[in-house]
Amino acid sequence: VDSTPPVLTLNTPINYLNTEKKILFDLSTNEPTDMYYIDNNDLKQKNLCKNCNLLNKLISFNDGLWNITIFARDKAGQLAPPQNIQFFIDTKLPKITKTYPLKGFTSGIFEADIQEDNLASLILHYENSQFPVNLNTCTNLNKNKYRCEADVDLSAHNSHQIQYYFELTDIAGNNAKSKAILLDVDTTDPLINSITKAQTENKVTFTLDITETNLDEVLYIINQDTDPRARWKTFCTKLKDGLCVKKITFNEGTSTIDFQVTDKAGNSAGQRESVAV
């Protein structure tokens, strides 16, 4: 008669982060037993060995969090106290697939497209500073792909150049760094000094006096609040002696026209005018 349950000693696996798919099962009992484990996620039983009291075996697992319970049953059907283990496997290296801006100017807004199942941190490095990105604000693009944004105050570097890169780390400690990129800093919004109008019947010539050394474009839109077909159109893409001039035709009645001036760093300024025809 065997009335004493076996004693199960578990050396590995342990509650741990693993960067390898194969996990060592190092188990022993004080008498021959059938050893097995149950995956607590799907409750399926996986046999480890039969009629043994020593086990030293590598077993493969997929990436992710594993929650298993290990059992040992002797010939009399008695069970050793089950042992529950949780471990995490992360064998895939994180990736930074794209960063923005790639060249030119920045106002302090940066983006990184990343690929990783188990994010731990994303750090923006610029000059001698670090900016930790809030991962909760990242946009999920597809499965394990995300787009993350960092908005930092670069006013101290205005009109200078900086070098930046992103560093991505997963919960297993694997990390990836993006290419370092050199950019010009422009944190100053364009300035619309004045807008003058010269009207002939339904045609109006607008002259915008603008202060901006890094102009990207000037756009305009007519009746955007009342016309569902209204679309932004190009007014000009360069200044001549600080001026931007264009003739625009209006329909009969009173209209509104909005101007939007944007520089190459993404800074902008806007102004609305009214026109009666």
Side-chain angles (χ1 to χ4, degrees), residues 3 5 12 69 115 132 138 140-141 203 206 251 257 277:
S3 60
T12 61
T69 303
Q115 186 173 334
C138 295
N140 184 228
L141 301 176
K203 299 181 185 299
F206 290 90
N251 294 327
I257 180 169
V277 174

Side-chain angles (χ1 to χ4, degrees), residues 155-169:
S155 55
H157 302 281
N158 191 37
S159 300
H160 294 86
Q161 287 188 323
I162 64 165
Q163 183 172 265
Y164 86 94
Y165 67 92
F166 283 94
E167 182 177 13
L168 173 64
T169 305

Side-chain angles (χ1 to χ4, degrees), residues 58-89:
L58 289 171
I59 298 179
S60 294
F61 292 85
N62 292 326
D63 280 25
L65 176 64
W66 289 88
N67 181 352
I68 67 172
T69 303
I70 300 175
F71 299 87
R73 177 184 283 115
D74 65 14
K75 293 180 180 180
Q78 299 178 106
L79 284 173
Q83 299 203 33
N84 178 253
I85 296 294
Q86 294 187 48
F87 54 90
F88 199 94
I89 296 179

